[in-house]
Amino acid sequence: MSQSLIKTQLDVLFSNSPWLIAGQLLLASTISFWLLGQVNTITLLLWYGCSFIPPLYRAYLSLQYKTKTNTISFWNHRYLLGSVSYGLVWGSLVYFDLPTLNLYFLLFIISGYIAVTVSASSVYLPAVVYFLAPASILVFFRCLELTLLHPEESWAFTLVIVVFAICVFMMSARSLNKTIVSG
């Protein structure tokens, strides 16, 4: 992939950052408010605090990107680091000890967040992969754990849906990226 193409892709990603950052902060705040009283307060506050790290990091990078001249590789690595941190934060949500219905609701929210991220980041496929991989791994292993711990519940079916959704998200991102990059 040419450096000029990657630069253009990063330009698009960084220009989209403000609304994605605002949405992420709003969603994290809403989820934290909803979870208040349902999970350990210290654990929730820790997650909530951690949920601010990726968007603040991305906001800092976005401001620097406009004013600093560094190599494309420099910006690429830093953007992808932010993508990984977003994936870890959002994927970790499923490890809260919640009633089954609330955990399903959380999976629904995470799926929506992933769908938005896939569509917003598809201009640069590595950004999707670096976000989707940690989020998907965390969700997959939590669903697998719940399948083994609670075989009487529908977690095995949920695990199949999660795997299917991950594949669809990745194929969609790949297809969108191919369309965008090929012009």
Side-chain angles (χ1 to χ4, degrees):
M1 194 174 315
S2 77
Q3 292 294 304
S4 65
L5 176 58
I6 295 172
K7 165 115 177 49
T8 301
Q9 291 168 318
L10 288 172
D11 289 345
V12 171
L13 290 173
F14 279 116
S15 70
N16 283 337
S17 287
W19 70 269
L20 291 171
I21 290 167
Q24 193 279 331
L25 292 172
L26 180 63
L27 185 58
S29 297
T30 304
I31 287 172
S32 295
F33 182 76
W34 172 66
L35 289 173
L36 203 57
Q38 294 187 59
V39 297
N40 177 286
T41 304
I42 300 298
T43 305
L44 178 60
L45 289 174
L46 180 62
W47 181 85
Y48 187 56
C50 288
S51 77
F52 275 71
I53 294 169
L56 292 176
Y57 174 72
R58 186 69 50 81
Y60 171 77
L61 275 184
S62 295
L63 292 172
Q64 295 295 309
Y65 187 74
K66 292 177 182 176
T67 61
K68 303 278 187 203
T69 55
N70 287 313
T71 66
I72 296 303
S73 178
F74 174 89
W75 293 113
N76 180 45
H77 288 104
R78 272 132 192 97
Y79 193 91
L80 295 177
L81 177 63
S83 297
V84 168
S85 63
Y86 272 110
L88 290 170
V89 165
W90 286 96
S92 69
L93 267 175
V94 296
Y95 285 88
F96 284 130
D97 187 24
L98 291 168
T100 301
L101 186 59
N102 291 2
L103 194 50
Y104 274 118
F105 182 65
L106 215 46
L107 283 169
F108 175 75
I109 291 169
I110 293 168
S111 295
Y113 186 78
I114 289 172
V116 168
T117 300
V118 165
S119 67
S121 302
S122 288
V123 67
Y124 187 50
L125 197 55
V128 174
V129 172
Y130 277 69
F131 166 76
L132 193 56
S136 298
I137 289 168
L138 289 170
V139 169
F140 174 84
F141 280 108
R142 178 63 170 151
C143 289
L144 180 61
E145 174 188 24
L146 290 168
T147 298
L148 297 172
L149 291 174
H150 305 286
E152 73 283 357
E153 294 182 17
S154 59
W155 288 107
F157 182 67
T158 303
L159 184 60
V160 170
I161 291 172
V162 164
V163 170
F164 177 72
I166 292 166
C167 292
V168 168
F169 285 137
M170 200 56 231
M171 289 184 303
S172 174
R174 190 168 169 243
S175 177
L176 280 168
N177 178 265
K178 187 178 179 181
T179 301
I180 292 167
V181 169
S182 67

